[in-house]
Amino acid sequence: MEAMQSLSFRPSPLDPLRKNIPQFTNVRSLGTKRVPFIISASASTVSAPKREKDPKKRVVITGTGLVSVFGNDVDTYYDRLLAGESGISLIDRFDASKFPTRFGGQIHGFTSEGYIDGKNDRRLDDCLRYAIVAGKKALENADLGGDRLEKIDKERAGVLVGTGMGGLTVFSDGVQNLIEKGHRKITPFFIPYAITNMGSALLGIDLGFMGPNYSISTACATSNYCFYAAANHIRRGEADLMLAGGTEAAIIPIGLGGFVACRALSQRNDDPQTASRPWDKDRDGFVMGEGAGILVMESLEHAMKRGAPIIAEYLGGAVNCDAYHMTDPRADGLGVSSCILSSLEDAGVSPEEVNYINAHATSTIVGDLAEINAVKKVFKTTSGIKMNATKSMIGHCLGAAGGLEAIATIKAITTGWVHPSINQFNPEPSVEFDTVPNKKQQHEVNVAISNSFGFGGHNSVVAFSAFKP
């Protein structure tokens, strides 16, 4: 992002265009298999390895669960996205009147009834509450609710739910108690409920999942990093099933104030619902959101053995780093374009097979066009590709963004409809892609990618498609 530009950092020594290299080979690891991915600098075609055929290594999506500004039901969430509804409103959780930004994608009326017992519910940070509810709802969607969970081998089931900010409310309250009342008034839950791994840990404890269990925190790229790592646990034979995604609850005074200090947020207080406007010439920063998005990921072999409802297929993904700046993206797009190419290599698909992109598209002045520049390096023609921005309606949910956007991507695959990018009033002419402006479009998705990038230069891309036996 364009924030904090006064800080000085060493630029990358890499030649972003690599003009003098006619051909290069990038070799990545796919499980125990290594395959070349050869890209010609002058040609528009890509020779990609074939898609994974081994049912033990194919990863399918069998459940989705979320907590969002549009509620906790996946179908309702996507229906409201298709309708082009904005979930942005003035913040009323605390007095934001003295902040230069006074709005966000704040969740109202959230309840964890039926998923968390009352005593724990009162203690938990919202970041943890959102994770537990979304994770359990994903399992219900995967036909693993209640007693059905007993039919899987829990020693081979894991949890990988990340967060960018962690239990920020618990942390903020603890610091305030320390300053105002002394250390004896700090809750014993201060450390456990503030650290980023506790969402995965509490889900694992509650469900009895004894497989891989940890969190990843890569700012706004967190969820995609979790999907990528979870899929690799399955591909390597370390797990049959993984709950993976992200959670975030940072719309509190210190969270809002921190991003205000970064000069990253829109200040369109007079019209909050039009504030998040990716690719629009008049965009002035992102809008904070919150929630959780979690997928049930399984090996195809495991899913078929238990007769699971297979929703879509995870084809592959990639992660890397710009190695450039704390908050700004590389203007040349090298990190992002390399990440997209690596994700397609991992997925075993060529750029020509991709016809839908759920963009990171945060509505920041620099970030939106940097992503466009990177995408253009990979896809030689914009014809036939739909690219939309979920954040235009729900805001930027930080560590949970990729989870909620992956669910939107999967729903686009299963419904044949892509949601609009709203607030497209004065589009940047250099975008060139069909951004699905202001109104949903019918579109049969062949291969979809979902982009997520985070402070620190963290890039992540995941690819999905309809499941085909």
Side-chain angles (χ1 to χ4, degrees), residues 297-308:
M297 307 176 75
E298 295 185 59
S299 71
L300 175 59
E301 180 183 63
H302 185 262
M304 293 185 72
K305 279 184 178 178
R306 72 175 187 88

Side-chain angles (χ1 to χ4, degrees), residues 451-466:
N451 297 337
S452 288
F453 318 126
F455 278 3
H458 301 295
N459 302 314
S460 61
V461 182
V462 289
F464 300 97
S465 73

Side-chain angles (χ1 to χ4, degrees), residues 278-407:
W279 308 306
D280 188 88
K281 285 183 179 179
D282 299 316
R283 65 195 183 278
D284 68 329
F286 78 81
V287 177
M288 288 183 71
E290 61 180 353
I294 296 179
L295 305 180
V296 178
M297 307 176 75
E298 295 185 59
S299 71
L300 175 59
E301 180 183 63
H302 185 262
M304 293 185 72
K305 279 184 178 178
R306 72 175 187 88
I310 297 176
I311 301 169
E313 183 165 5
Y314 168 92
L315 298 178
V319 299
N320 72 5
C321 183
D322 277 352
Y324 173 70
H325 190 272
M326 279 203 309
T327 57
D328 286 357
R330 292 180 64 112
D332 57 55
L334 176 61
V336 171
S337 60
S338 298
C339 194
I340 294 172
L341 285 169
S342 293
S343 74
L344 299 182
E345 174 192 349
D346 190 50
V349 302
S350 68
E352 291 76 18
E353 294 178 80
V354 177
N355 67 345
Y356 171 51
I357 301 171
N358 189 294
H360 184 59
T362 60
S363 188
T364 57
I365 295 170
V366 174
D368 286 7
L369 293 186
E371 180 179 11
I372 290 292
N373 292 338
V375 170
K376 285 181 178 178
K377 288 177 181 286
V378 177
F379 302 99
K380 304 307 179 183
T381 176
T382 62
S383 177
I385 298 178
K386 308 290 185 186
M387 180 169 65
N388 60 5
T390 307
K391 293 181 183 74
S392 66
M393 289 174 277
I394 67 172
H396 190 354
C397 299
L398 310 175
L404 289 161
E405 289 161 14
I407 292 173

Side-chain angles (χ1 to χ4, degrees), residues 94-103 252-258 260 269:
F94 58 91
D95 182 7
S97 61
K98 294 182 180 179
F99 289 83
T101 295
R102 299 186 287 277
F103 58 89
I252 65 170
I254 191 64
L256 180 66
V260 164
N269 295 296

Side-chain angles (χ1 to χ4, degrees), residues 268 274 277-283 368-369 421-431 435 437-438:
R268 203 177 296 273
T274 68
R277 48 177 71 193
W279 308 306
D280 188 88
K281 285 183 179 179
D282 299 316
R283 65 195 183 278
D368 286 7
L369 293 186
S421 305
I422 67 169
N423 302 325
Q424 304 294 286
F425 306 116
N426 189 16
E428 292 275 8
S430 62
V431 173
T435 60
N438 303 317

Side-chain angles (χ1 to χ4, degrees), residues 56-132:
K56 292 182 180 179
K57 295 181 179 180
R58 287 180 69 180
V59 179
V60 293
I61 309 304
T62 57
T64 58
L66 56 74
V67 171
S68 81
V69 71
F70 292 142
N72 305 346
D73 179 77
V74 169
D75 290 338
T76 300
Y77 165 76
Y78 199 63
D79 285 345
R80 293 174 77 172
L81 289 178
L82 289 177
E85 182 178 339
S86 174
I88 309 306
S89 62
L90 292 174
I91 293 169
D92 60 12
R93 182 176 293 157
F94 58 91
D95 182 7
S97 61
K98 294 182 180 179
F99 289 83
T101 295
R102 299 186 287 277
F103 58 89
Q106 176 188 322
I107 292 173
H108 295 85
F110 170 77
T111 176
S112 63
E113 186 176 356
Y115 296 95
I116 306 173
D117 70 75
K119 186 176 181 180
N120 282 324
D121 190 50
R122 288 188 296 273
R123 291 172 172 169
L124 292 172
D125 190 280
D126 280 347
C127 178
L128 300 176
R129 297 168 77 217
Y130 295 166
I132 293 169

